[in-house]
Amino acid sequence: MGRYDDIFVEGIATFQQPKNKKKQAEIAMKQFDPKSVCLNAFNIAADFGFPMNGTEDDIEKLEAIFRGLHVDFENGNLAEPKLTNAVIIFGVYLGQLLLDLYLTKAGFKWNLDDGMPMVKKNDNNYISPLSKVRNHIVNGDEDDIRPFCKVAEMLAYGTLKQQSDKLS
């Protein structure tokens, strides 16, 4: 991949949510525009040779992109702030994809928690696609997104089994 000077050089606004004023937090959430960030992801993915279409097939395409970005990260070709820009662009797309495919109908939506975009239903039901994308780019295959996406699907359909505190 490796041509990040023209792709990830443009700063993506970080999403900072004030911690003390509810009104300012509402304004920050209104300014968060995942659709425009997703458009960037579509364009960049197409440049990488992985055109996306908003279907489950995009999960495999994202996985391939993240593998390539991991190699570039390991080789020192994807450093800050370009790493953070890539994480924001593809993390927001992954979150929006999971919302569109599964989670919106289960009551999940975008939420800013301490400035971090999260896909959240309530305090007990949320996922962090940006953290997952960063982990995958930095750590490689041990942070494959496919199991993460499967958990999101299971959350949506209520098939995720609760872990017991008791060991059998």
Side-chain angles (χ1 to χ4, degrees):
M1 295 190 163
R3 17 181 294 278
Y4 305 118
D5 288 339
D6 58 341
I7 294 175
F8 296 126
V9 74
E10 180 180 328
I12 301 298
T14 55
F15 313 104
Q16 297 186 7
Q17 179 171 328
K19 295 177 183 172
N20 56 2
K21 295 190 180 181
K22 186 176 178 182
K23 180 97 172 147
Q24 289 177 330
E26 289 171 6
I27 291 169
M29 192 60 213
K30 286 179 183 176
Q31 291 174 342
F32 174 58
D33 181 15
K35 297 289 185 185
S36 70
V37 178
C38 290
L39 183 58
N40 285 337
F42 267 60
N43 293 335
I44 293 167
D47 285 348
F48 287 160
F50 297 99
M52 294 191 282
N53 58 12
T55 67
E56 285 183 337
D57 293 341
D58 288 357
I59 295 168
E60 291 298 325
K61 293 173 185 177
L62 286 169
E63 182 61 33
I65 290 168
F66 299 155
R67 278 194 217 112
L69 291 174
H70 171 69
V71 169
D72 288 338
F73 175 80
E74 286 286 305
N75 291 332
N77 296 325
L78 184 61
E80 292 296 351
K82 295 171 189 168
L83 172 61
T84 294
N85 290 341
V87 166
I88 291 170
I89 290 167
F90 286 116
V92 169
Y93 179 67
L94 176 60
Q96 190 62 51
L97 179 66
L98 295 175
L99 280 166
D100 293 346
L101 292 174
Y102 318 116
L103 295 171
T104 297
K105 58 188 156 228
F108 286 78
K109 61 183 179 178
W110 283 110
N111 192 299
L112 294 180
D113 283 350
D114 293 327
M116 170 74 83
M118 308 275 284
V119 175
K120 188 173 182 178
K121 182 175 184 177
N122 55 43
D123 288 339
N124 296 321
N125 293 287
Y126 61 90
I127 60 171
S128 178
L130 280 78
S131 294
K132 186 61 181 177
V133 169
R134 178 176 286 279
N135 289 342
H136 194 332
I137 292 171
V138 171
N139 300 328
D141 286 343
E142 71 186 60
D143 280 301
D144 186 317
I145 64 163
R146 291 172 288 200
F148 177 81
C149 295
K150 190 65 176 168
V151 167
E153 181 181 12
M154 293 166 71
L155 276 171
Y157 294 117
T159 58
L160 185 66
K161 294 182 181 176
Q162 295 292 326
Q163 294 292 322
S164 171
D165 292 337
K166 242 183 189 180
L167 294 176
S168 307

